[in-house]
Amino acid sequence: QAFRYVNELSPGDERGRELASRAGERLGAAGRRALGRGDASAATKLLGRAAALLPVDAPGRAQLLGDLGAALVLAGEFANADAVLTEAVEASLAAGDRRLELHALLERGFLRALTDPERGVEELGLVTARALRELEELGDDLGLAKAWRRIGDTHWMRNQWDELERALERARAHAERAGDRREAAGAVMRVPMAIYYGPTHVPDAIQRAEAILARAQQAPGVQATCLVCLAGLQAMSGQFEHARTLLARGRAITEELGFRVWQAGFSLLS
């Protein structure tokens, strides 16, 4: 607000640029914390406000746009997400930061696979293959976690559930080496659905999903997919009322977090 007041009184004033930069940094930090705890609704608002304040050539803007694009994908705002991620790719290229460029390309590839699976899944496979080689050369564990998660997504979209689990395990390992809890949770969040849709027998699947749920106290997104997975497994066991209760709990979490894409996916199970 201070920046807007200064800008109204004296457009282009150096004080205004400094205020915009400080506000953008603080809003960006708050947005990343929201994304870290899985709150897509808050993250899109905070990161979007930060991006609107920062000048095009501001340091860190490419990273900010990449985070905003990821939040918009979770929130189901696909058209806006594609535009933001394309801008993130271009900003990274302009800054000469190949690492961030690869991160944004991976996120945009996933988005396009969601919105145009006939062509997008194959394209995502090509993007991940190229990114994997370069990220290994760069020694970027966070980037490798993202790449393996997207490799997992190509298996998910092809109903290759065992392959999905193996890719997610590699993604989780790289995320933990990078010390990024959000990325690790993003990998683990997909495992319960692989357990549900895959070949694991129901009693074993219930045991595995409950074990993941017990370790997910600080990861609401993981809790949601565990609860919905367990709902489907309980329904397979004939426990329909219990299944409906679990499904309602899982849906309530994703609704609170603003994970519209996951909410849509859960409708298949319900």
Side-chain angles (χ1 to χ4, degrees):
Q1 286 177 335
F3 161 71
R4 292 194 184 103
Y5 291 147
V6 169
N7 203 44
E8 286 174 11
L9 294 168
S10 182
D13 186 278
E14 184 58 34
R15 288 176 303 162
R17 286 177 58 86
E18 183 187 345
L19 279 170
S21 178
R22 288 169 57 198
E25 287 173 8
R26 294 186 186 203
L27 285 165
R32 288 192 183 97
R33 286 196 297 274
L35 198 56
R37 65 177 179 267
D39 190 341
S41 296
T44 54
K45 292 172 186 171
L46 290 163
L47 294 170
R49 288 166 63 195
L53 281 169
L54 291 177
V56 174
D57 59 349
R61 191 166 188 272
Q63 173 76 62
L64 182 74
L65 290 169
D67 290 335
L68 174 58
L72 288 166
V73 172
L74 280 173
E77 298 182 33
F78 293 155
N80 196 7
D82 195 283
V84 168
L85 289 168
T86 296
E87 191 178 353
V89 170
E90 292 168 353
S92 303
L93 187 60
D97 193 327
R98 180 60 174 164
R99 173 181 166 274
L100 284 181
E101 185 186 352
L102 289 169
H103 288 204
L105 285 168
L106 285 165
E107 194 68 42
R108 190 178 68 177
F110 170 61
L111 168 62
R112 291 181 176 178
L114 279 178
T115 53
D116 183 12
E118 190 170 345
R119 290 180 300 178
V121 175
E122 185 176 352
E123 182 184 330
L124 178 59
L126 294 172
V127 169
T128 55
R130 285 196 299 268
L132 203 61
R133 289 193 299 272
E134 291 192 54
L135 291 165
E136 283 174 348
E137 290 172 4
L138 291 168
D140 178 12
D141 273 311
L142 178 58
L144 287 167
K146 292 175 184 287
W148 277 108
R149 183 150 59 95
R150 296 314 174 202
I151 289 168
D153 287 329
T154 63
H155 292 308
W156 160 51
M157 292 175 185
R158 291 173 173 140
N159 293 323
Q160 297 167 336
W161 304 108
D162 285 342
E163 293 89 340
L164 168 59
E165 280 206 64
R166 284 193 285 271
L168 292 175
E169 177 53 33
R170 296 192 73 165
R172 183 194 60 76
H174 280 294
E176 289 183 353
R177 276 202 288 273
D180 194 303
R181 289 192 300 175
R182 172 168 68 93
E183 189 61 36
V188 177
M189 188 177 179
R190 287 159 165 73
V191 174
M193 303 318 294
I195 293 171
Y196 171 72
Y197 285 111
T200 308
H201 289 190
V202 170
D204 294 337
I206 289 174
Q207 190 173 25
R208 288 189 62 198
E210 286 179 341
I212 296 171
L213 180 61
R215 297 192 299 269
Q217 299 308 310
Q218 304 302 318
V222 178
Q223 291 175 32
T225 54
C226 283
L227 289 166
V228 173
C229 165
L230 286 166
L233 295 168
Q234 291 295 340
M236 289 179 184
S237 306
Q239 304 299 316
F240 299 116
E241 286 307 313
H242 185 35
R244 291 188 184 100
T245 299
L246 292 168
L247 180 63
R249 286 173 58 195
R251 279 180 151 173
I253 293 171
T254 53
E255 186 172 352
E256 183 179 349
L257 296 174
F259 283 17
R260 292 179 192 153
V261 173
W262 286 91
Q263 284 179 282
F266 292 163
S267 67
L268 295 171
L269 187 143
S270 65

